């Protein structure tokens, strides 16, 4: 058996390969993105990025209905977008096994909320598995496809940041063979969810969950581990590891299937231990149902509803001594920042200068919120910026309406921003939309999208023409600007903000991280002439990581700017801010 | 609290190559026959933010994250980030730090100075402290970008992983044309 170290995401991709999966589809989202990026190495799987999670799931549903095994992956908030097909997919069931992987982000390391996806499993009536390490990620993925076909249901697998991005040792297996060849097969009574058909399907779904709950008591992924029986802990996922670390002598009921729960096994375990605990991150999902069975247990009385669990927090919950640690030092923070040369920087600088009210969106440009740019006023979810801008203009004065600007990236615009723009035109909102088109889905690590010109497989493909698309939606005022030209950027944004009808401004410079030489190349490096620099700090207002303030060192507030030649991309924006012509390119 | 587990933290700034260094370390530990777990946060941290990677190895590892106060070795690629992560280290733990300052945004824009006396603050709490000029040694080895591998060489002297496993892990994880310079940087780190 080949042993290797894999992240949870790599192991899920491997599990899909071993399970004979034929199609994998996703929209990128931290911490789930690397599953598809790793599925790519298995040429037997057709892997693709979809414009959003709803489409990704629908592609997987189609593949399943065609008879192939299909994988769909997303981050927790992606399920909100994909919820519509999901809730009816449980009624239709599947042909080829269908696995929906959802990666939660307790502690919100890279998310706008920490919703607990287990609630979706119950709500949508879909079985859900929860692995505790990379080996289980692989095994549970294989198993999920089998359960999916056996119980005629989609199956969800819930990961979390610590599982998806944690690495551990995995033993690899072979790809299964002998699965039926996909082919068209009509079964409208099962796959056309008109009321008459759906009424027939609903009781089938309920019965199948009862059957699985009973079977789950004997399936190997749910297991009782008896040790000292004074304390018994029901747990799942990453929390199992923390329980084993902090309470090594406690008995555990380790759940691999968190929906439906194996009620018989829970009763059996509860009867064998003196005090029963339920240890889980976020919502009391298991705990509420254990208590509803009439079994007394301790859970959220000692474990927070918020944030992720850690060994230290678990130790505090059980009032165990903590290891002696050095006190935290007071140090300057190090928040993330837009890259040197990022084409978004000049736009946010300009919007701040124009005192705009900026409805923001999800992507690298959300970092426009950070000082010194401090140029973002709202951020709720993917695609929300445009609808919010329209909404704001419905209530404020005519003078204030002109201040409202929505800012959205190319990938986010195509994800769910498009509908907001339709509404804006349809209902004639006077707000201004800026599409920050950097030709990539940058925040999650440079994934291609329908406007970037390449597929996940790196094959060239049609790139959506954003100005033409906006024109087709009925936008009359469409301006394409070079965001690295501050004069042009300011003039065009000011003109469109003043205009009392819908307008779209599209920036046209690529992300500096794109490693395709024909799309992005660094320009000549810039430097500050220290003899000419007056120390006015104007160039520091864009917050470029390549520009550093060097104090004079005499205790005064004086100093000069310096450009780090290793970081500078030659974007030219700082030169345009320097009224003393102290900044220029190095020949 | 399992004393057979070695707890290592690799800390620094996004973009410094911390993930690669922690992968080489994990790979070498696995080749040496240990159970290994590793955890870090990608995403926002890649945009120049603080990065903390946890590596744990031993006969059997449960939690992938090192509890505060239980780290054996703190392996810092940048000085201020090293000090920030000192609470992870156990009493009497080892600090191996790269003598490098990278200014965070507030320092870049002149809002506050980069803190001084950082090495002294580490030494005041941890006597087993090695301050390494990774950039200089890496430059001598042939490429300034191999500074991480220099530090890995320094750390390797404190770990029970055989030399051939380190070499094999470097060959496996480092891109082809950079292998030789990284091996040289690793060996020079071991001589530090």
């Amino acid at each position: 058996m080949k042993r290797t170290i894999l992240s949870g995401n790599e192991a899920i991709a491997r599990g899909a390969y071993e399970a004979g999966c034929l199609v994998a589809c996703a929209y990128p989202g931290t911490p789930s993105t690397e599953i598809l990026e790793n599925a790519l190495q298995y040429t037997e799987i057709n892997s693709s990025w979809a414009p959003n999670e709803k489409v990704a799931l629908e592609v997987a549903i189609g593949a399943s209905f065609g008879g192939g095994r299909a994988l769909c992956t997303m981050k927790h908030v992606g399920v909100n977008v994909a919820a519509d097909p999901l809730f009816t997919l449980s009624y239709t069931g599947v042909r080829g096994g269908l696995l929906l992987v959802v990666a939660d982000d307790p502690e919100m390391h890279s998310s706008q909320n920490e919703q607990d996806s287990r609630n979706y499993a119950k709500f949508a009536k879909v079985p859900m598995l929860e692995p505790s390490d990379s080996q289980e990620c692989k095994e549970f993925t294989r198993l999920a496809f089998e359960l999916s076909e056996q119980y005629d249901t989609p199956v969800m697998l819930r990961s979390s940041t610590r599982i998806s991005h944690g690495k551990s040792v995995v033993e690899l297996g072979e790809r299964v063979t002998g699965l039926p060849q996909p082919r068209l097969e009509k079964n409208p009574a099962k796959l056309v969810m008109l009321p008459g058909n759906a009424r027939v399907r609903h009781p089938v779904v309920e019965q199948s969950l009862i059957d699985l709950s009973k079977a789950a008591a004997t399936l190997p992924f749910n297991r009782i581990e008896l040790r000292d029986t004074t304390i018994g802990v029901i747990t799942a996922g990453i929390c199992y590891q923390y329980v084993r670390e902090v309470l090594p002598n406690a008995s555990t009921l380790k759940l691999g299937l968190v929906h439906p729960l194996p009620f018989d096994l829970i009763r059996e375990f509860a009867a064998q231990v003196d005090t029963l605990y339920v240890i889980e991150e976020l919502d009391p999902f298991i705990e509420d149902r254990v208590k509803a069975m009439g079994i007394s247990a301790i859970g959220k009385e000692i474990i927070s509803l918020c944030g992720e669990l850690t060994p230290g927090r678990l130790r505090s919950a059980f009032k165990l001594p903590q290891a002696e640690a050095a006190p935290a030092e007071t140090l300057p923070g190090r928040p993330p920042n837009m890259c040197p040369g990022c084409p978004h920087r000049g736009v946010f600088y300009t919007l701040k200068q124009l005192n705009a009210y900026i409805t923001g969106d999800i992507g690298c440009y959300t970092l426009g919120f950070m000082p010194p740019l401090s140029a973002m006023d709202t951020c709720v979810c993917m695609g929300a910026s445009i609808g919010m801008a329209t909404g704001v203009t419905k209530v404020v004065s005519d003078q204030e309406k002109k201040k409202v600007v929505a800012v959205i990236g190319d990938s986010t615009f195509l994800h769910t921003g498009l509908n907001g723009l339709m509404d804006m035109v349809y209902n004639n909102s006077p707000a201004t939309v800026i599409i920050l088109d950097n030709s990539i889905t940058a925040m999650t690590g440079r994934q291609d999208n329908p406007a970037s010109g390449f597929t996940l497989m790196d094959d060239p493909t049609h790139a959506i023409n954003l100005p033409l698309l906006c024109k087709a939606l009925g936008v009359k005022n469409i301006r394409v600007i070079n965001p690295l030209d501050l004069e042009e950027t300011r003039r065009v944004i000011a003109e469109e903000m003043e205009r009392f009808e819908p307008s779209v401004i599209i920036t046209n410079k690529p992300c500096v991280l794109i490693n395709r030489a024909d799309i992005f190349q660094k320009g000549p490096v810039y430097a500050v002439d220290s003899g000419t620099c007056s120390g006015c700090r104007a160039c520091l207002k864009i917050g470029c990581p390549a520009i550093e303030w060097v104090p004079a060192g005499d205790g005064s507030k004086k100093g000069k700017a310096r450009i780090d030649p290793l970081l500078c991309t030659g974007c030219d924006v700082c030169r345009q801010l320097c009224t003393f012509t102290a900044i220029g390119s190095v020949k | 609290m399992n004393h057979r587990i070695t707890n290592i933290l690799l800390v620094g700034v996004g973009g410094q190559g911390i993930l690669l260094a922690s992968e080489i370390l994990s790979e070498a530990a696995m080749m040496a026959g240990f159970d290994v777990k590793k955890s870090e946060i990608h995403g926002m941290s890649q945009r120049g933010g603080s990065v903390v990677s946890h590596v744990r190895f031993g006969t059997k590892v449960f939690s992938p994250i090192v509890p505060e106060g239980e780290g054996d070795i703190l392996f810092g690629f940048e000085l201020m980030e090293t000090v920030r992560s000192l609470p992870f280290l156990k009493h009497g733990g080892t600090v191996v730090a790269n003598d490098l300052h990278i200014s965070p945004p507030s320092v870049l824009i002149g809002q506050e100075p980069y803190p001084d006396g950082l090495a002294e603050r580490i030494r005041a709490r941890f006597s087993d402290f090695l301050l390494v000029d990774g950039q200089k040694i890496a430059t001598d080895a042939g490429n300034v970008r191999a500074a991480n591998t220099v530090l890995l060489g320094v750390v390797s002297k404190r770990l029970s992983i055989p030399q051939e496993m380190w070499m094999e892990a470097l060959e496996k994880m480092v891109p082809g044309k950079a292998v030789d310079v990284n091996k040289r940087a690793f060996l020079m780190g071991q001589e530090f």
Side-chain angles (χ1 to χ4, degrees):
Chain A
M1 226 38 118
K2 190 176 183 299
R3 283 172 86 236
T4 184
I5 298 180
L6 297 180
S7 69
N9 283 347
E10 289 168 331
I12 290 167
R14 176 72 195 188
Y17 163 77
E18 291 183 8
C21 177
L22 293 179
V23 169
C25 197
Y27 181 79
T30 311
S32 70
T33 311
E34 300 83 1
I35 302 172
L36 262 274
E37 291 180 325
N38 280 285
L40 194 58
Q41 66 185 287
Y42 306 110
T43 51
E44 295 87 343
I45 304 177
N46 178 313
S47 299
S48 63
W49 294 129
N52 66 35
E53 293 86 354
K54 178 175 183 288
V55 175
L57 181 55
E58 289 155 353
V59 169
I61 293 172
S64 162
F65 287 178
R69 289 188 168 181
L71 170 72
C72 178
T73 70
M74 57 193 63
K75 71 181 294 175
H76 58 330
V77 286
V79 187
N80 302 334
V81 180
D84 202 358
L86 177 65
F87 277 64
T88 304
L89 176 63
S90 59
Y91 282 28
T92 63
V94 302
R95 262 188 80 210
L98 189 149
L99 171 60
L100 168 58
V101 175
V102 51
D104 282 10
D105 189 16
E107 200 75 23
M108 294 169 275
H109 297 287
S110 195
S111 302
Q112 67 271 37
N113 74 29
E114 53 183 352
Q115 66 189 48
D116 186 333
S117 295
R118 296 177 298 173
N119 296 300
Y120 267 117
K122 184 163 184 283
F123 196 5
K125 303 181 185 297
V126 174
M128 177 181 267
L129 293 158
E130 194 172 358
S132 294
D133 59 20
S134 297
Q135 183 73 43
E136 285 193 349
C137 281
K138 186 181 80 80
E139 297 311 325
F140 285 12
T141 297
R142 284 187 69 142
L143 180 75
F145 285 103
E146 289 164 22
L147 285 178
S148 172
E149 288 169 8
Q150 192 183 342
Y151 287 87
D152 190 10
T153 175
V155 171
M156 293 175 82
L157 182 143
R158 181 205 189 213
S159 176
S160 65
T161 301
R162 295 292 175 185
I163 294 290
S164 277
H165 287 173
K167 291 204 167 191
S168 57
V169 180
V170 176
E171 283 187 5
L172 303 183
E174 299 297 322
R175 183 169 166 94
V176 298
T177 53
L179 293 174
Q181 183 67 27
R183 58 177 182 81
L184 292 179
E185 187 182 282
K186 298 197 180 194
N187 190 356
K190 183 166 178 284
L191 302 184
V192 179
M193 282 301 98
L194 283 168
N197 290 338
R199 279 184 212 113
V200 175
R201 292 295 304 168
H202 186 185
V204 175
V205 176
E206 299 295 348
Q207 186 58 47
S208 145
L209 287 169
I210 293 168
D211 294 346
L212 181 54
S213 169
K214 284 184 182 148
T218 57
L219 291 169
F221 45 77
N222 290 325
R223 62 170 189 266
I224 292 175
E225 298 169 348
L226 282 185
R227 286 174 280 267
D228 177 1
T229 54
T230 52
I231 290 181
V233 182
I234 302 176
T235 188
I238 190 66
C239 296
Y240 169 76
Q241 307 291 359
Y242 301 147
V243 169
R244 295 290 293 117
E245 179 87 19
V246 173
L247 305 167
N249 300 320
S251 294
T252 48
L253 168 54
K254 182 194 183 305
L255 297 176
L257 189 72
V258 292
H259 184 73
L261 287 175
F263 296 109
D264 296 343
L265 202 62
I266 290 171
R267 265 188 212 97
E268 183 189 330
F269 181 67
Q272 293 178 79
V273 299
D274 299 342
T275 310
L276 183 67
Y277 291 86
V278 180
I279 306 297
E280 55 192 327
E281 284 171 334
L282 303 177
D283 295 343
F285 181 78
I286 299 170
E287 180 188 340
D288 279 355
R289 285 189 288 164
V290 168
K291 287 179 174 170
M293 291 165 71
I295 296 172
S296 69
I298 302 166
K300 291 298 158 186
E301 294 87 345
I302 58 166
I303 305 288
S304 176
L305 289 160
C306 309
E308 64 180 358
L309 193 61
T310 64
R313 288 174 184 171
L314 186 57
R315 205 165 276 161
S316 299
F318 280 85
K319 300 192 164 50
L320 296 169
Q322 301 279 356
E324 187 195 338
E329 301 260 353
T330 307
L331 296 166
R334 195 184 296 274
N337 193 355
M338 284 187 268
C339 302
C342 176
H344 303 333
R345 189 169 271 113
V347 174
F348 285 106
Y349 172 79
T350 303
L351 287 170
K352 190 181 183 190
Q353 298 287 307
L354 294 170
N355 193 25
Y357 182 84
I358 304 154
T359 59
D361 225 301
I362 308 254
C364 287
Y365 47 92
T366 316
L367 297 173
F369 166 82
M370 305 297 291
L373 294 167
S374 308
M376 185 150 297
D377 297 297
T378 75
C379 173
V380 174
C381 72
M382 291 286 289
S385 57
I386 303 178
M388 288 190 293
T390 297
V392 173
T393 61
K394 284 177 191 273
V395 293
V396 299
S397 71
D398 281 358
Q399 200 46 43
E400 285 196 325
K401 283 182 182 37
K402 293 178 177 176
K403 294 285 179 198
V404 181
V405 178
V407 173
I408 186 167
D410 49 326
S411 187
T412 308
F413 176 65
L414 296 172
H415 179 279
T416 35
L418 205 51
N419 300 65
L421 187 56
M422 284 178 207
D423 176 65
M424 198 172 153
V425 174
Y426 178 44
N427 290 306
N428 202 30
S429 159
T432 302
V433 174
I434 301 180
I435 302 176
L436 298 165
D437 178 13
N438 63 356
S439 303
I440 206 80
T441 310
M443 190 77 214
T444 43
R446 289 171 296 161
Q447 287 76 31
D448 281 296
N449 67 52
S452 74
F454 295 90
T455 67
L456 170 60
M457 307 277 218
D458 210 29
D459 296 323
T461 186
H462 174 73
I464 288 176
N465 181 317
L466 294 176
L468 272 181
L469 178 60
C470 295
K471 190 176 175 197
L473 293 177
V475 181
K476 293 196 193 80
N477 313 294
I478 301 165
R479 314 278 296 268
V480 177
I481 60 166
N482 172 4
L484 303 178
D485 181 334
L486 289 182
E487 189 280 322
E488 179 189 356
T489 298
R490 184 182 173 110
R491 177 171 45 78
V492 172
I493 294 177
E495 282 171 15
E496 296 307 326
M497 282 172 72
E498 199 54 37
R499 200 190 296 275
F500 217 73
E501 55 182 36
S503 51
V504 174
I505 299 166
I506 303 169
T507 67
N508 69 355
K509 288 293 170 192
C511 171
V512 296
L513 297 177
I514 294 180
N515 50 8
R516 292 185 176 107
D518 54 331
I519 297 177
F520 175 77
Q521 277 187 309
K522 280 190 180 187
V525 167
Y526 282 61
V528 179
D529 177 49
S530 60
T532 320
C533 176
S534 72
C536 73
R537 300 178 185 237
C539 59
L540 300 173
K541 289 184 183 158
I542 49 171
C544 176
I547 309 175
E548 178 158 23
W549 177 253
V550 184
D554 56 4
S556 71
K557 287 189 173 177
K558 290 179 188 163
K560 290 183 190 294
R562 193 187 81 84
I563 293 175
D564 184 337
L566 293 175
L567 295 178
C568 177
T569 66
C571 78
D572 191 59
V573 168
C574 60
R575 184 195 60 79
Q576 299 166 52
L577 290 171
C578 182
T579 49
F580 298 91
T581 61
I583 299 177
S585 66
V586 181
K587 296 290 180 285
Chain B
M1 291 296 209
N2 188 333
H3 294 292
R4 289 171 303 172
I5 292 177
T6 304
N7 293 315
I8 303 179
L9 292 132
L10 300 92
V11 306
V13 179
Q16 277 194 292
I18 293 157
L19 302 195
L20 179 61
S22 66
E23 308 234 318
I24 295 168
L25 170 58
S26 305
E27 198 70 31
M30 184 193 70
M31 287 172 181
F34 293 111
D35 186 24
V36 187
K37 281 192 179 162
K38 162 174 136 75
S39 181
E40 68 254 332
I41 302 300
H42 314 181
M44 296 291 263
S45 54
Q46 284 175 329
R47 299 286 173 274
S50 305
V51 176
V52 180
S53 176
H54 303 236
V55 177
R56 312 187 75 204
F57 62 88
T59 45
K60 172 70 188 166
V61 182
F62 290 110
S63 164
I65 51 180
V66 178
E68 289 207 342
E70 292 188 25
D72 296 295
I73 300 177
L74 174 63
F75 181 176
F77 293 65
E78 198 273 348
L79 216 48
M80 190 169 90
E81 295 311 312
T82 309
V83 173
R84 201 191 303 280
S85 285
L86 287 177
F88 279 113
L89 211 51
K90 70 178 183 190
H91 186 71
T94 300
V95 182
V96 177
N98 193 14
D99 192 6
L100 175 71
H101 296 184
I102 299 177
S103 297
S106 60
V107 174
L108 289 174
I109 63 174
Q111 227 171 40
E112 58 187 327
Y114 189 92
D116 54 14
L118 291 174
E120 291 70 27
R121 285 197 232 178
I122 299 171
R123 200 166 283 119
R125 292 192 182 278
F126 296 94
S127 57
D128 190 12
F129 170 41
L130 297 171
L131 187 63
V132 185
D133 190 344
Q135 281 62 233
K136 186 185 175 301
I137 300 173
T139 307
D140 293 345
N143 190 341
V144 67
R145 292 173 65 192
N148 300 350
T149 317
V150 172
L151 266 82
L152 205 52
V154 178
V155 170
S156 72
K157 299 293 279 183
R158 309 296 184 102
L159 300 173
S160 51
I161 297 173
Q163 188 75 352
E164 62 265 30
M165 309 301 178
W166 287 110
M167 291 299 133
E168 213 178 307
L170 280 167
E171 274 168 29
K172 184 175 169 192
M173 307 306 295
V174 174
K177 53 186 180 191
V179 170
D180 285 345
V181 65
N182 275 280
K183 278 187 175 174
R184 215 157 40 237
F186 184 84
L187 295 172
M188 287 170 79
Q190 287 189 319
E191 284 162 24
F192 181 81

